[in-house]
Amino acid sequence: MTPTALETAGGGLLLAATDDPLAAFGHDPWWVTLIKSVVIFVFLMVCVLMMIMADRKVMGRMQMRHGPNRFGPWGLLQSLADGVKLSLKEDIIPRGVDRTLYIAAPMISAVPAFMTFSVIPIGPEVEIFGLVTPLQLTDLPVAGLMVLAAAAMGVYGIVIGGWASRSPYALLGGLRASAQVISYEIAMAMSFVAVFMYSGTLTTSGIVEAQQPIWFALILFPSFAVYLVTMLGETNRLPFDLAEGEGELVGGFMTEYGSMKYTMFFLAEYVNMLTVGAISVTFFLGGYHAPPPITMVWEGANEGAWPVLWWLLKFMGVMFLFIWARGTVPRIRYDQLMLLGWKVLIPVQLVWITAVAVVRMLVNEGAHPAVTGAVVVGFSVVVVASIIGWNRAVRRQRAAEAAEHTEEMRRMRETAEYGGFPVPPASAPHYGSSVPAEEPRNTPPASTGKREEVTGA
């Protein structure tokens, strides 16, 4: 499809409404593209500072304390002070590391997080200096796949950083991150598949426009729920921060990093949080469109600067969800992390995508509503039966574990040596010697009146 109207007026490029969602992109002068890029970069950096402060303040209130409240008014400049302190620390490179990969790893981790935000629509078309342009840097026919590709590239920095550090803790953290991103990236991609099928496009602007009647978070709620879980695993945040678990890996893949290199990893984590939050707003929460109840009573809810405000409010709500999860949910074990990804999220998504594809095909072919309803009921019965069967299997497994634990405790009570350190019997010869064991003494030896010297021999 081509634009219905394309004209130049007053030195500016004006684009009329068209059916092609990509027609409004690719026509901006270089200075407009530069302004958008700078605004996105500044917005992300400011959001990182604010998110770090909100992280500490909100969790402080959850734990009945104030959080940072010394540097700046109400402690608002504490994040800036921490950044300056990290940048002024001595940059030490450990001996024996792969210097090239060690230095490149933080940049590899941070750059993809910034790239993803280039396809996020923050508002509709606006007029800037006589030029009509969308509030979005660019859009692509495969923007949805680009989001997944950029998210998958970020883990390379973590893996390379862990390997180049030549430290067992860092290497284990990198391996954990790679295994984690594989399992949760699959579930995240499957949650996007339902969105792509229902919207009929891979462009982010087209996905936002497809949600004008109703948000995908409502009609595709299973995909939205799975995405909320996978975005926590994708960003290595609690309860899924196993790649940098302090309890068992000291600092994980960042153990050997300090100064600005550590700051880059820290920045990449928070920018990645902002990116996945913006993706959730774009793919499931209607983007910059006002909530449907408001549009029913207010016709101008999506005009002027209001769309940007709606987008920011949704974005802040998702960011609060990150803080809430970190402050309330404890860290899970690594085996539980893998079990959740491979045995719960992926099977649920496979069944859900199959159901969405079948229903969508029946609707497109104009099938009778009774047929579509029967298919929906059939899938619902299969899901309920699967949940019941899974619940019974879990109960049987827990009963078997409880019986095994009870048997272990009984044996420990009856036999003192069971389950403890192996103690050789008194009648056995000494280890490493052919000298027979000393006969057991029934009576204590007679005292000689001399003080015996106790040695370690």
Side-chain angles (χ1 to χ4, degrees):
M1 287 181 283
T2 59
T4 57
L6 180 63
E7 60 180 0
T8 304
L13 191 63
L14 301 179
L15 295 176
T18 123
D19 294 333
D20 188 0
L22 298 177
F25 300 94
H27 308 287
D28 292 336
W30 65 270
W31 55 271
V32 174
T33 303
L34 180 61
I35 291 176
K36 290 182 179 180
S37 302
V38 172
V39 169
I40 290 176
F41 180 78
V42 173
F43 173 77
L44 289 176
M45 296 303 294
V46 172
C47 282
V48 167
L49 295 178
M50 296 177 62
M51 185 61 188
I52 295 174
M53 175 53 59
D55 220 347
R56 302 173 67 179
K57 281 284 193 181
V58 175
M59 285 195 299
R61 294 295 180 178
M62 288 180 177
Q63 299 165 0
M64 300 184 68
R65 55 185 178 85
H66 291 285
N69 59 354
R70 290 291 183 267
F71 196 83
W74 302 288
L76 295 178
L77 298 180
Q78 185 63 52
S79 300
L80 181 61
D82 292 341
V84 174
K85 180 191 70 174
L86 282 174
S87 63
L88 296 179
K89 282 186 174 293
E90 183 181 1
D91 189 6
I92 299 176
I93 298 180
R95 185 185 305 166
V97 302
D98 190 320
R99 292 180 63 90
T100 302
L101 297 180
Y102 179 84
I103 296 173
M107 294 181 286
I108 296 174
S109 182
V111 170
F114 283 92
M115 290 174 52
T116 308
F117 221 89
S118 62
V119 296
I120 299 298
I122 301 177
E125 293 184 353
V126 296
E127 184 175 350
I128 302 177
F129 302 114
L131 178 71
V132 178
T133 181
L135 290 179
Q136 181 179 354
L137 181 59
T138 186
D139 202 355
L140 302 171
V142 290
L145 300 182
M146 194 275 278
V147 168
L148 292 172
M153 285 295 296
V155 74
Y156 281 91
I158 297 177
V159 175
I160 292 174
W163 182 86
S165 297
R166 305 293 174 87
S167 168
Y169 297 111
L171 180 60
L172 286 175
L175 292 177
R176 282 186 177 187
S178 61
Q180 180 173 333
V181 76
I182 290 173
S183 59
Y184 283 80
E185 193 79 27
I186 294 174
M188 177 183 287
M190 289 182 177
S191 65
F192 289 168
V193 169
V195 174
F196 298 154
M197 287 192 299
Y198 207 89
S199 62
T201 180
L202 295 177
T203 62
T204 52
S205 56
I207 292 173
V208 171
E209 294 301 323
Q211 298 180 70
Q212 286 193 20
I214 186 171
W215 293 355
F216 288 160
L218 300 178
I219 58 178
L220 301 176
F221 181 76
S223 294
F224 179 57
V226 171
Y227 177 78
L228 292 181
V229 177
T230 56
M231 74 178 185
L232 295 175
E234 188 73 16
T235 54
N236 293 323
R237 289 275 294 188
L238 275 171
F240 303 125
D241 63 336
L242 277 302
E244 48 186 292
E246 299 89 353
E248 63 271 14
L249 296 182
V250 183
F253 63 93
M254 295 189 297
T255 300
E256 305 297 332
Y257 281 91
S259 188
M260 285 302 297
K261 298 181 183 63
Y262 174 82
T263 307
M264 289 291 289
F265 273 125
F266 201 68
L267 177 67
E269 177 181 336
Y270 274 87
V271 173
N272 203 13
M273 285 171 48
L274 301 174
T275 300
V276 297
I279 292 172
S280 67
V281 174
T282 302
F283 283 19
F284 296 100
L285 300 178
Y288 51 80
H289 291 298
I294 296 179
T295 56
M296 295 178 183
V297 298
W298 182 16
E299 296 182 357
N302 290 322
E303 299 177 359
W306 289 108
V308 179
L309 178 62
W310 303 130
W311 187 90
L312 285 175
L313 291 176
K314 298 173 187 177
F315 180 70
M316 292 169 60
V318 178
M319 290 298 101
F320 176 77
L321 183 62
F322 273 103
I323 303 174
W324 192 9
R326 181 179 180 181
T328 56
V329 183
R331 178 186 292 129
I332 64 176
R333 298 197 313 265
Y334 190 70
D335 61 324
Q336 295 173 335
L337 175 76
M338 292 291 102
L339 185 144
L340 177 65
W342 288 102
K343 293 188 176 182
V344 178
L345 298 182
I346 293 178
V348 167
Q349 283 290 69
L350 288 174
V351 175
W352 170 245
I353 290 174
T354 304
V356 171
V358 172
V359 172
R360 193 67 178 166
M361 181 188 65
L362 293 176
V363 172
N364 291 338
E365 293 182 355
H368 195 274
V371 177
T372 306
V375 171
V376 173
V377 171
F379 272 105
S380 301
V381 171
V382 171
V383 170
V384 172
S386 301
I387 293 175
I388 294 175
W390 178 71
N391 191 20
R392 290 181 176 177
V394 170
R395 288 183 177 179
R396 287 196 297 268
Q397 181 180 0
R398 290 179 178 176
E401 293 176 355
E404 182 179 357
H405 178 70
T406 303
E407 180 64 18
E408 290 280 336
M409 296 300 295
R410 185 189 65 81
R411 292 183 179 181
M412 291 177 65
R413 286 193 301 267
E414 294 179 354
T415 307
E417 294 83 1
Y418 182 81
F421 187 81
V423 179
S427 59
H430 297 293
Y431 290 108
S433 174
S434 59
V435 179
E438 182 181 358
E439 293 295 332
R441 298 177 179 178
N442 297 326
T443 59
S447 176
T448 60
K450 296 183 179 180
R451 182 179 179 182
E452 297 182 358
E453 182 180 358
V454 179
T455 66

